[in-house]
Short mmCIF file of all heavy atoms in Angstrom, two decimals:
data_model
loop_
_atom_site.label_atom_id
_atom_site.label_comp_id
_atom_site.label_asym_id
_atom_site.label_seq_id
_atom_site.Cartn_x
_atom_site.Cartn_y
_atom_site.Cartn_z
N THR A 1 0.80 -1.23 0.00
CA THR A 1 0.00 0.00 0.00
C THR A 1 0.83 1.27 0.00
O THR A 1 0.29 2.36 -0.14
CB THR A 1 -0.92 0.03 1.23
OG1 THR A 1 -0.10 0.15 2.42
CG2 THR A 1 -1.78 -1.22 1.33
N GLY A 2 2.14 1.13 0.17
CA GLY A 2 2.99 2.30 0.35
C GLY A 2 3.36 2.51 1.79
O GLY A 2 4.28 3.26 2.12
N ALA A 3 2.63 1.85 2.70
CA ALA A 3 2.93 1.93 4.12
C ALA A 3 3.07 0.54 4.74
O ALA A 3 3.63 0.40 5.82
CB ALA A 3 1.84 2.71 4.86
N GLY A 4 2.56 -0.47 4.07
CA GLY A 4 2.62 -1.84 4.59
C GLY A 4 1.89 -2.78 3.65
O GLY A 4 1.43 -2.40 2.57
N TRP A 5 1.78 -4.04 4.07
CA TRP A 5 1.12 -5.06 3.25
C TRP A 5 -0.34 -5.19 3.64
O TRP A 5 -0.68 -5.27 4.81
CB TRP A 5 1.82 -6.41 3.41
CG TRP A 5 3.21 -6.43 2.85
CD1 TRP A 5 4.38 -6.35 3.55
CD2 TRP A 5 3.57 -6.54 1.47
NE1 TRP A 5 5.45 -6.39 2.70
CE2 TRP A 5 4.99 -6.52 1.41
CE3 TRP A 5 2.85 -6.65 0.28
CZ2 TRP A 5 5.69 -6.60 0.23
CZ3 TRP A 5 3.55 -6.75 -0.92
CH2 TRP A 5 4.95 -6.73 -0.93
N ARG A 6 -1.20 -5.26 2.63
CA ARG A 6 -2.64 -5.43 2.85
C ARG A 6 -3.05 -6.79 2.30
O ARG A 6 -2.73 -7.15 1.16
CB ARG A 6 -3.42 -4.32 2.12
CG ARG A 6 -4.94 -4.48 2.17
CD ARG A 6 -5.60 -3.30 1.47
NE ARG A 6 -5.32 -3.29 0.03
CZ ARG A 6 -6.04 -3.94 -0.88
NH1 ARG A 6 -7.07 -4.69 -0.50
NH2 ARG A 6 -5.73 -3.86 -2.16
N THR A 7 -3.75 -7.58 3.12
CA THR A 7 -4.20 -8.90 2.69
C THR A 7 -5.39 -8.75 1.74
O THR A 7 -6.41 -8.16 2.09
CB THR A 7 -4.59 -9.76 3.90
OG1 THR A 7 -3.45 -9.93 4.75
CG2 THR A 7 -5.08 -11.13 3.45
N CYS A 8 -5.24 -9.28 0.54
CA CYS A 8 -6.31 -9.23 -0.46
C CYS A 8 -7.14 -10.50 -0.46
O CYS A 8 -8.33 -10.48 -0.79
CB CYS A 8 -5.73 -9.01 -1.86
SG CYS A 8 -4.73 -7.53 -2.04
N ARG A 9 -6.51 -11.61 -0.10
CA ARG A 9 -7.21 -12.89 -0.14
C ARG A 9 -6.55 -13.84 0.84
O ARG A 9 -5.34 -13.81 1.03
CB ARG A 9 -7.17 -13.47 -1.56
CG ARG A 9 -7.86 -14.82 -1.71
CD ARG A 9 -7.72 -15.33 -3.14
NE ARG A 9 -8.32 -16.65 -3.30
CZ ARG A 9 -8.26 -17.37 -4.40
NH1 ARG A 9 -7.64 -16.88 -5.46
NH2 ARG A 9 -8.81 -18.57 -4.47
N ARG A 10 -7.38 -14.68 1.46
CA ARG A 10 -6.86 -15.67 2.41
C ARG A 10 -7.72 -16.93 2.29
O ARG A 10 -8.96 -16.85 2.28
CB ARG A 10 -6.92 -15.12 3.83
CG ARG A 10 -6.41 -16.08 4.90
CD ARG A 10 -6.83 -15.61 6.28
NE ARG A 10 -6.33 -14.29 6.58
CZ ARG A 10 -5.22 -14.05 7.26
NH1 ARG A 10 -4.50 -15.06 7.71
NH2 ARG A 10 -4.83 -12.82 7.50
N ASP A 11 -7.08 -18.10 2.21
CA ASP A 11 -7.83 -19.35 2.20
C ASP A 11 -6.94 -20.47 2.71
O ASP A 11 -5.75 -20.28 2.95
CB ASP A 11 -8.40 -19.67 0.81
CG ASP A 11 -7.31 -19.74 -0.26
OD1 ASP A 11 -6.12 -19.67 0.09
OD2 ASP A 11 -7.66 -19.86 -1.44
N THR A 12 -7.51 -21.66 2.89
CA THR A 12 -6.79 -22.83 3.38
C THR A 12 -6.59 -23.81 2.24
O THR A 12 -7.53 -24.09 1.47
CB THR A 12 -7.57 -23.50 4.52
OG1 THR A 12 -7.73 -22.56 5.60
CG2 THR A 12 -6.83 -24.72 5.03
N ILE A 13 -5.37 -24.31 2.10
CA ILE A 13 -5.06 -25.25 1.03
C ILE A 13 -4.39 -26.49 1.64
O ILE A 13 -3.87 -26.46 2.75
CB ILE A 13 -4.13 -24.63 -0.03
CG1 ILE A 13 -2.84 -24.11 0.62
CG2 ILE A 13 -4.85 -23.49 -0.75
CD1 ILE A 13 -1.84 -23.54 -0.38
N ARG A 14 -4.43 -27.61 0.88
CA ARG A 14 -3.83 -28.87 1.34
C ARG A 14 -2.97 -29.46 0.23
O ARG A 14 -2.97 -29.00 -0.91
CB ARG A 14 -4.93 -29.86 1.75
CG ARG A 14 -5.78 -29.37 2.93
CD ARG A 14 -6.86 -30.38 3.29
NE ARG A 14 -7.67 -29.89 4.40
CZ ARG A 14 -7.36 -30.04 5.68
NH1 ARG A 14 -6.23 -30.68 6.01
NH2 ARG A 14 -8.14 -29.57 6.63
N ASP A 15 -2.25 -30.51 0.58
CA ASP A 15 -1.40 -31.24 -0.37
C ASP A 15 -0.43 -30.30 -1.08
O ASP A 15 -0.33 -30.28 -2.31
CB ASP A 15 -2.27 -31.97 -1.40
CG ASP A 15 -3.21 -32.98 -0.75
OD1 ASP A 15 -2.80 -33.58 0.26
OD2 ASP A 15 -4.35 -33.14 -1.23
N VAL A 16 0.30 -29.51 -0.29
CA VAL A 16 1.24 -28.55 -0.85
C VAL A 16 2.55 -29.23 -1.22
O VAL A 16 3.10 -30.02 -0.44
CB VAL A 16 1.51 -27.40 0.15
CG1 VAL A 16 2.61 -26.48 -0.36
CG2 VAL A 16 0.22 -26.62 0.40
N ALA A 17 3.03 -28.96 -2.42
CA ALA A 17 4.35 -29.43 -2.86
C ALA A 17 5.12 -28.23 -3.36
O ALA A 17 4.59 -27.38 -4.08
CB ALA A 17 4.21 -30.48 -3.95
N ILE A 18 6.40 -28.12 -2.97
CA ILE A 18 7.20 -26.94 -3.30
C ILE A 18 8.51 -27.38 -3.94
O ILE A 18 9.20 -28.27 -3.44
CB ILE A 18 7.50 -26.11 -2.04
CG1 ILE A 18 6.19 -25.61 -1.42
CG2 ILE A 18 8.41 -24.91 -2.38
CD1 ILE A 18 6.38 -24.90 -0.10
N SER A 19 8.86 -26.73 -5.06
CA SER A 19 10.14 -26.94 -5.71
C SER A 19 10.81 -25.60 -5.89
O SER A 19 10.19 -24.65 -6.35
CB SER A 19 9.95 -27.62 -7.08
OG SER A 19 11.20 -27.74 -7.75
N ALA A 20 12.08 -25.48 -5.49
CA ALA A 20 12.80 -24.21 -5.58
C ALA A 20 14.27 -24.50 -5.85
O ALA A 20 14.76 -25.58 -5.52
CB ALA A 20 12.64 -23.41 -4.28
N PRO A 21 15.00 -23.54 -6.47
CA PRO A 21 16.43 -23.75 -6.71
C PRO A 21 17.18 -24.00 -5.42
O PRO A 21 16.89 -23.39 -4.38
CB PRO A 21 16.87 -22.43 -7.36
CG PRO A 21 15.61 -21.84 -7.91
CD PRO A 21 14.51 -22.26 -6.98
N ALA A 22 18.13 -24.92 -5.46
CA ALA A 22 18.89 -25.24 -4.26
C ALA A 22 19.85 -24.13 -3.88
O ALA A 22 20.10 -23.87 -2.71
CB ALA A 22 19.66 -26.54 -4.46
N GLY A 23 20.40 -23.43 -4.88
CA GLY A 23 21.35 -22.36 -4.61
C GLY A 23 20.68 -21.03 -4.37
O GLY A 23 19.48 -20.87 -4.61
N PRO A 24 21.44 -20.03 -3.91
CA PRO A 24 20.90 -18.68 -3.65
C PRO A 24 20.69 -17.91 -4.95
O PRO A 24 21.33 -16.89 -5.20
CB PRO A 24 21.95 -18.03 -2.76
CG PRO A 24 23.24 -18.69 -3.18
CD PRO A 24 22.87 -20.11 -3.54
N ARG A 25 19.76 -18.41 -5.80
CA ARG A 25 19.57 -17.79 -7.11
C ARG A 25 18.77 -16.50 -7.00
O ARG A 25 18.97 -15.56 -7.78
CB ARG A 25 18.86 -18.79 -8.02
CG ARG A 25 18.57 -18.26 -9.42
CD ARG A 25 17.91 -19.34 -10.27
NE ARG A 25 17.54 -18.85 -11.58
CZ ARG A 25 16.89 -19.56 -12.49
NH1 ARG A 25 16.56 -20.81 -12.22
NH2 ARG A 25 16.58 -19.04 -13.66
N TYR A 26 17.84 -16.45 -6.05
CA TYR A 26 16.98 -15.28 -5.91
C TYR A 26 17.22 -14.62 -4.55
O TYR A 26 17.52 -15.29 -3.57
CB TYR A 26 15.51 -15.68 -6.03
CG TYR A 26 15.17 -16.31 -7.36
CD1 TYR A 26 15.05 -17.69 -7.49
CD2 TYR A 26 14.99 -15.52 -8.49
CE1 TYR A 26 14.75 -18.27 -8.72
CE2 TYR A 26 14.69 -16.09 -9.72
CZ TYR A 26 14.57 -17.46 -9.84
OH TYR A 26 14.28 -18.02 -11.05
N PRO A 27 17.09 -13.29 -4.48
CA PRO A 27 17.30 -12.60 -3.19
C PRO A 27 16.14 -12.87 -2.24
O PRO A 27 15.05 -13.27 -2.64
CB PRO A 27 17.34 -11.11 -3.60
CG PRO A 27 16.52 -11.04 -4.85
CD PRO A 27 16.77 -12.34 -5.58
N ASP A 28 16.40 -12.66 -0.96
CA ASP A 28 15.35 -12.79 0.04
C ASP A 28 14.35 -11.65 -0.11
O ASP A 28 14.74 -10.52 -0.45
CB ASP A 28 15.94 -12.75 1.46
CG ASP A 28 16.81 -13.97 1.75
OD1 ASP A 28 16.56 -15.03 1.13
OD2 ASP A 28 17.72 -13.85 2.58
N PRO A 29 13.05 -11.91 0.11
CA PRO A 29 12.06 -10.84 0.01
C PRO A 29 12.33 -9.74 1.03
O PRO A 29 12.63 -10.01 2.20
CB PRO A 29 10.73 -11.55 0.31
CG PRO A 29 11.00 -13.00 0.05
CD PRO A 29 12.44 -13.21 0.41
N VAL A 30 12.24 -8.50 0.59
CA VAL A 30 12.41 -7.33 1.45
C VAL A 30 11.29 -6.35 1.13
O VAL A 30 10.95 -6.13 -0.03
CB VAL A 30 13.78 -6.64 1.22
CG1 VAL A 30 13.88 -5.37 2.04
CG2 VAL A 30 14.91 -7.59 1.58
N ASP A 31 10.69 -5.76 2.17
CA ASP A 31 9.62 -4.80 1.94
C ASP A 31 10.13 -3.63 1.11
O ASP A 31 11.24 -3.13 1.33
CB ASP A 31 9.09 -4.25 3.26
CG ASP A 31 8.24 -5.27 4.00
OD1 ASP A 31 7.99 -6.36 3.44
OD2 ASP A 31 7.82 -4.98 5.15
N PRO A 32 9.34 -3.15 0.15
CA PRO A 32 9.73 -1.94 -0.59
C PRO A 32 9.80 -0.75 0.38
O PRO A 32 9.20 -0.78 1.45
CB PRO A 32 8.58 -1.75 -1.59
CG PRO A 32 7.89 -3.08 -1.66
CD PRO A 32 8.05 -3.70 -0.32
N PRO A 33 10.54 0.30 0.03
CA PRO A 33 10.56 1.49 0.89
C PRO A 33 9.16 2.11 0.97
O PRO A 33 8.41 2.11 -0.01
CB PRO A 33 11.55 2.43 0.19
CG PRO A 33 11.64 1.92 -1.22
CD PRO A 33 11.39 0.46 -1.16
N THR A 34 8.80 2.60 2.13
CA THR A 34 7.49 3.23 2.31
C THR A 34 7.46 4.58 1.59
O THR A 34 8.50 5.15 1.25
CB THR A 34 7.18 3.44 3.79
OG1 THR A 34 8.14 4.38 4.34
CG2 THR A 34 7.25 2.14 4.57
N LEU A 35 6.24 5.08 1.37
CA LEU A 35 6.11 6.40 0.76
C LEU A 35 6.78 7.47 1.62
O LEU A 35 7.41 8.40 1.09
CB LEU A 35 4.63 6.74 0.56
CG LEU A 35 3.92 5.95 -0.55
CD1 LEU A 35 2.43 6.25 -0.54
CD2 LEU A 35 4.52 6.27 -1.91
N ASP A 36 6.67 7.35 2.94
CA ASP A 36 7.31 8.33 3.83
C ASP A 36 8.82 8.32 3.64
O ASP A 36 9.47 9.39 3.61
CB ASP A 36 6.97 8.02 5.30
CG ASP A 36 5.56 8.45 5.66
OD1 ASP A 36 4.97 9.26 4.92
OD2 ASP A 36 5.04 7.96 6.68
N ALA A 37 9.41 7.12 3.52
CA ALA A 37 10.87 7.04 3.34
C ALA A 37 11.29 7.63 1.99
O ALA A 37 12.31 8.31 1.90
CB ALA A 37 11.32 5.58 3.44
N LEU A 38 10.48 7.40 0.95
CA LEU A 38 10.80 7.96 -0.36
C LEU A 38 10.65 9.48 -0.37
O LEU A 38 11.48 10.19 -0.97
CB LEU A 38 9.88 7.34 -1.42
CG LEU A 38 10.10 5.84 -1.70
CD1 LEU A 38 9.03 5.31 -2.62
CD2 LEU A 38 11.49 5.61 -2.30
N LEU A 39 9.62 9.99 0.30
CA LEU A 39 9.44 11.44 0.35
C LEU A 39 10.61 12.11 1.08
O LEU A 39 11.02 13.22 0.71
CB LEU A 39 8.12 11.78 1.06
CG LEU A 39 6.84 11.43 0.30
CD1 LEU A 39 5.61 11.73 1.16
CD2 LEU A 39 6.76 12.20 -1.01
N ALA A 40 11.14 11.43 2.10
CA ALA A 40 12.28 12.01 2.83
C ALA A 40 13.49 12.17 1.93
O ALA A 40 14.32 13.07 2.13
CB ALA A 40 12.63 11.12 4.03
N LEU A 41 13.60 11.32 0.90
CA LEU A 41 14.76 11.39 0.00
C LEU A 41 14.66 12.55 -0.98
O LEU A 41 15.69 13.04 -1.47
CB LEU A 41 14.89 10.08 -0.78
CG LEU A 41 15.24 8.84 0.03
CD1 LEU A 41 15.29 7.62 -0.86
CD2 LEU A 41 16.57 9.02 0.77
N ILE A 42 13.45 13.02 -1.30
CA ILE A 42 13.33 14.10 -2.29
C ILE A 42 13.16 15.47 -1.63
O ILE A 42 13.38 16.49 -2.28
CB ILE A 42 12.19 13.84 -3.28
CG1 ILE A 42 10.81 13.98 -2.61
CG2 ILE A 42 12.32 12.48 -3.92
CD1 ILE A 42 9.65 13.95 -3.58
N ARG A 43 12.75 15.49 -0.37
CA ARG A 43 12.56 16.78 0.30
C ARG A 43 13.91 17.49 0.46
O ARG A 43 14.92 16.87 0.77
CB ARG A 43 11.91 16.60 1.66
CG ARG A 43 10.46 16.11 1.61
CD ARG A 43 9.83 16.10 2.98
NE ARG A 43 8.53 15.48 3.01
CZ ARG A 43 7.39 16.09 2.71
NH1 ARG A 43 7.44 17.36 2.34
NH2 ARG A 43 6.24 15.46 2.77
#
C-alpha cells in the first residue's frame, strides 16, 4: 500500500508441494521502501 502489506485474499489449502532452486539464485524478500521514506529522499 505504500505503508505496509494489505491482505487481499486468504484461504486454506492442502497437499502442498514446493520446488525451488537449491542455490541462492533469488534474493530474500524485502519490503519496498514506504512512501514516507521515499518522500524524505526528495525533500
Side-chain angles (χ1 to χ4, degrees):
T1 67
W5 293 102
R6 175 178 66 87
T7 299
C8 302
R9 179 182 177 185
R10 180 194 301 264
D11 57 6
T12 300
I13 57 177
R14 297 179 181 275
D15 300 325
V16 174
I18 299 174
S19 176
R25 179 178 176 184
Y26 300 101
D28 293 333
V30 175
D31 287 355
T34 64
L35 288 174
D36 284 343
L38 292 172
L39 290 176
L41 294 178
I42 70 171
R43 293 186 188 276

